[in-house]
Amino acid sequence: MKMAMACALAMLLGVASGFAAPPDDVYHLGPDSEPHEGVPQGKVVGPAALPSTVYPNTTRDYWVYVPAQYDPSKPACLMVFFDGHAYVGLKGSYRIPYVFDNLIHRREMPVTIGVFINPGHTSEQKEASDSNWGDGTTNRRVEYNALDDKYSKLIVDELLPVITKQYNISPDPENRAISGASSGAICAFTVAWHRPDQFRKVVSTIGSFTNIMGGHVYPDLIRKSEPKPIRIFLQDGVNDNRGLRRDGSYDPTRDWHAQNIKMVQALTEKKYDVNFTWGIGTHSNKQGGAIMPEMLRWLWRDYPRTDDAKDDSNRTLLVPAAAAKAPAPAPGG
């Protein structure tokens, strides 16, 4: 059976290599990932360094996105991104500052402070960057792939106090989201899994719910545990890493796509608020970046909009806050 599965996967990957272009090239960033005239732009502060006692002798860079609509007198929502350098950049696959600018302006997500945090590194290791992402030269594997609550302590006990001291962040866990790709994705889920009192919204792209450090057990763990108040969107591609060893044998615990499917099945069985999409991509950020705006709309779909404009039939009109407060045009204007 395993050999048959290995052959089938090899054929699938062979078909993928026969495309006129790599399968990831079918995914392109849309207008929500670009700047637009008339859309207020938030500012990105950083990088700043965050040392840790949870992971002794390590430090990591982080950035903070502050939306133009942020009012220090009003609590803002919060969204944390792991492998922060990959999300905060304006030329990469995600370009979150542009996405937040557009969605917040159109009231498709709430006013949200974004925090982009890198994995840690020791004095002998390099700071994470686009050139060494996931190559073992940082503390990423240990921090992101373990299933214990250690990394959640770094986020909750070390990062959040710094952020909440500087910005007015809502304490409601329903107003806090967390996101990552690959090992960063399983890390995001793990933080929410251990601390749903702090984070209840998760975006996972090409999530490594695989046996790197035992992550393949999550589907069974979800089934055996009481449901937690977590909303999660998962993305993966059928041409992701498929568990083929060098000798051609198949290891189901190292099949990224199969494990993502198992996650959705387990979450659905336990009646979690879950959404997902499967594409044809590889272990790449291109599809995740292309659909990130839509994932965020879904994630924040029910946030309360208390000052929307209304038309004569008393229907709510979802318009940018600035437009909602603008004076009515003069007669005949």
Side-chain angles (χ1 to χ4, degrees), residues 28 40 44 88 183 190 237 287 298 306 330 333:
H28 303 278
V44 174
V88 73
S183 291
T190 297
Q287 185 187 11
W298 180 84
T306 58

Side-chain angles (χ1 to χ4, degrees), residues 219 222-223 227 262-272 274:
I222 290 166
R223 289 187 173 93
K262 289 179 180 179
M263 284 290 293
V264 168
Q265 291 172 341
L267 291 164
T268 301
E269 287 176 22
K270 298 295 287 189
K271 302 188 184 304
Y272 277 76
V274 59

Side-chain angles (χ1 to χ4, degrees), residues 42 79 101 105 123 156-157 234 284 300:
M79 189 160 186
D101 286 344
H105 175 64
S123 59
V156 174
D157 299 335
L234 299 100
S284 159
W300 295 104

Side-chain angles (χ1 to χ4, degrees), residues 77-306:
C77 294
L78 174 71
M79 189 160 186
V80 179
F81 294 85
F82 297 150
D83 292 305
H85 63 90
Y87 290 90
V88 73
L90 300 180
K91 296 183 178 180
S93 296
Y94 290 101
R95 308 182 188 187
I96 293 298
Y98 288 154
V99 176
F100 272 31
D101 286 344
N102 291 318
L103 269 59
I104 292 172
H105 175 64
R106 295 199 302 268
R107 303 171 66 81
E108 293 173 338
M109 65 177 285
V111 174
T112 303
I113 297 286
V115 178
F116 308 85
I117 185 168
N118 276 351
H121 64 91
T122 66
S123 59
E124 293 80 26
Q125 296 173 321
K126 301 177 181 178
E127 178 67 38
S129 68
D130 292 343
S131 63
N132 69 338
W133 188 8
D135 67 0
T137 59
T138 70
N139 211 39
R140 184 175 186 264
R141 181 182 187 276
V142 174
E143 294 182 6
Y144 284 7
N145 291 290
L147 303 192
D148 58 27
D149 65 348
K150 193 172 181 179
Y151 196 77
S152 67
K153 292 179 179 177
L154 180 145
I155 296 299
V156 174
D157 299 335
E158 296 183 333
L159 176 66
L160 288 187
V162 175
I163 302 302
T164 55
K165 185 177 181 180
Q166 297 174 325
Y167 304 97
N168 187 357
I169 302 296
S170 170
D172 186 346
E174 296 289 352
N175 293 334
R176 295 180 176 184
I178 198 162
S179 177
S182 191
S183 291
I186 188 174
C187 185
F189 183 78
T190 297
V191 171
W193 180 260
H194 287 293
R195 297 304 302 267
D197 62 313
Q198 296 292 328
F199 294 93
R200 293 187 179 176
K201 291 179 169 64
V202 180
V203 170
S204 164
T205 61
I206 54 172
S208 299
F209 299 98
T210 57
N211 192 13
I212 297 176
M213 294 180 66
H216 64 294
V217 306
Y218 257 134
D220 288 338
L221 185 59
I222 290 166
R223 289 187 173 93
K224 294 175 182 177
S225 303
E226 287 297 315
K228 303 190 180 191
I230 299 171
R231 172 181 292 177
I232 180 171
F233 197 120
L234 299 100
Q235 171 275 330
D236 193 46
V238 70
N239 289 300
D240 200 345
N241 303 326
R242 297 308 306 261
L244 291 180
R245 297 190 181 99
R246 292 182 179 179
D247 63 2
S249 61
Y250 174 64
D251 180 356
T253 71
R254 299 278 293 186
D255 186 328
W256 263 250
H257 190 54
Q259 286 298 123
N260 271 274
I261 291 173
K262 289 179 180 179
M263 284 290 293
V264 168
Q265 291 172 341
L267 291 164
T268 301
E269 287 176 22
K270 298 295 287 189
K271 302 188 184 304
Y272 277 76
D273 189 1
V274 59
N275 203 348
F276 66 96
T277 186
W278 310 139
I280 64 170
T282 64
H283 199 70
S284 159
N285 292 296
K286 295 198 72 172
Q287 185 187 11
I291 68 172
M292 179 60 74
E294 195 58 39
M295 290 191 286
L296 292 176
R297 289 188 187 93
W298 180 84
L299 201 72
W300 295 104
R301 66 188 186 272
D302 49 7
Y303 88 91
R305 301 171 175 89
T306 58

